[in-house]
Amino acid sequence: MREETGYYVSASITSRILSFRHDCPLILPGTKYVPGIGVIMTADTCKVPLCPGGCLYCFCALSTRKKHTESVRLTLSDASMKLVIRAIEIVKPDAITTAEKVELGFFPNAVKELQTLRAGIDKNIWMIFTTKFPEVWERLDAPNNAMLVTLSNPRQIAGLEPHIKPCIERAHGAYKAATTAKHLKVGVRALIMAREDIEPLRKMIAVLKPYLDPNLIWVDFLREPFV
């Protein structure tokens, strides 16, 4: 802990844990060990080629090579969902993070898919999803679910997140979810694009911190040209 700030700084270590079961063949999921949570495995879920959010820095959008939706998966098929659940059963992580390729507030089927995933995995495994639409918490308020609300663009740079609510509104949504939800754990994911973002985001998190799960305050630094 840094005494002058009072903040703990922790790092996740990328590892290759192939299987926690000796009777299963080796598999190759990407996993991380995160202090305070344990082994985390990422599960890819809903995918839409052009998310309506239009965030200019979105890695999902930057990697899109198709302009038409007909040939692009929107939600997992039943067979694919079973494979995802099976992989989670083999690895037996402490938590899974979901990697939606669309913001949950735009596509109700993505929320439904998370509900299906939650119902299909071990009830003791945490499911952590990320969103810029904290109001979706009401549909995902279940035991061992956690929501990370992305706080980004605090200086409201025009056009950077054209169809996303302002950062301060998302912070208010995180507070409401954290103080209202029956089961859901709430945290924030600060997305820092430039040095000037650090102080306003720090102030927001300082206000929210008493209401958040202490293990769910995460910070990401974007790569160039936004660093």
Side-chain angles (χ1 to χ4, degrees):
M1 183 177 77
R2 297 183 59 186
E3 296 295 340
E4 66 272 22
T5 63
Y7 285 95
Y8 285 92
V9 179
S10 61
S12 60
I13 302 172
T14 302
S15 57
R16 295 180 70 83
I17 299 175
L18 305 183
S19 177
F20 290 160
R21 288 178 49 178
H22 298 294
D23 60 334
C24 291
L26 297 180
I27 59 174
L28 300 171
T31 60
K32 291 182 179 180
Y33 178 80
V34 178
I37 296 178
V39 175
I40 289 183
M41 173 182 174
T42 297
D44 288 328
T45 58
C46 207
K47 180 177 182 180
V48 171
L50 296 175
C51 174
C55 302
L56 295 184
Y57 56 83
C58 179
F59 295 131
C60 299
L62 291 173
S63 64
T64 298
R65 292 181 171 82
K66 297 182 179 180
K67 298 297 182 182
H68 304 289
T69 61
E70 300 86 40
S71 60
V72 179
R73 173 175 62 81
L74 298 180
T75 55
L76 291 176
S77 65
D78 290 342
S80 295
M81 178 64 79
K82 288 179 181 178
L83 289 175
V84 171
I85 291 173
R86 177 58 179 155
I88 294 169
E89 289 174 343
I90 293 173
V91 178
K92 297 186 181 299
D94 300 296
I96 61 169
T97 53
T98 62
E100 303 88 23
K101 304 298 192 298
V102 62
E103 274 294 342
L104 297 175
F106 292 123
F107 198 48
N109 283 357
V111 179
K112 185 177 180 180
E113 190 164 279
L114 294 187
Q115 292 172 327
T116 301
L117 184 60
R118 172 74 274 176
I121 64 175
D122 187 326
K123 64 180 181 179
N124 295 311
I125 295 175
W126 281 89
M127 183 175 81
I128 305 171
F129 63 93
T130 303
T131 183
K132 295 175 185 171
F133 292 83
E135 58 269 20
V136 303
W137 72 267
E138 293 183 346
R139 294 187 61 191
L140 292 162
D141 185 11
N144 287 350
N145 271 13
M147 176 175 71
L148 288 172
V149 179
T150 300
L151 301 182
S152 53
N153 194 21
R155 294 173 290 138
Q156 299 187 53
I157 298 173
L160 193 59
E161 297 174 330
H163 303 120
I164 302 295
K165 290 182 179 180
C167 187
I168 190 66
E169 290 188 28
R170 285 177 261 156
H172 285 306
Y175 167 79
K176 182 178 180 180
T179 56
T180 307
K182 184 177 180 180
H183 302 288
L184 187 73
K185 299 294 184 182
V186 178
V188 293
R189 176 183 176 223
L191 204 57
I192 296 174
M193 305 173 200
R195 188 181 299 272
E196 293 79 8
D197 293 337
I198 295 175
E199 186 59 15
L201 287 175
R202 186 196 67 78
K203 290 180 177 178
M204 281 188 195
I205 293 173
V207 173
L208 289 170
K209 191 175 180 181
Y211 310 100
L212 304 176
D213 185 300
N215 294 311
L216 294 174
I217 301 176
W218 297 3
V219 178
D220 286 332
F221 292 85
L222 286 186
R223 297 179 180 179
E224 291 181 326
F226 299 104
V227 292

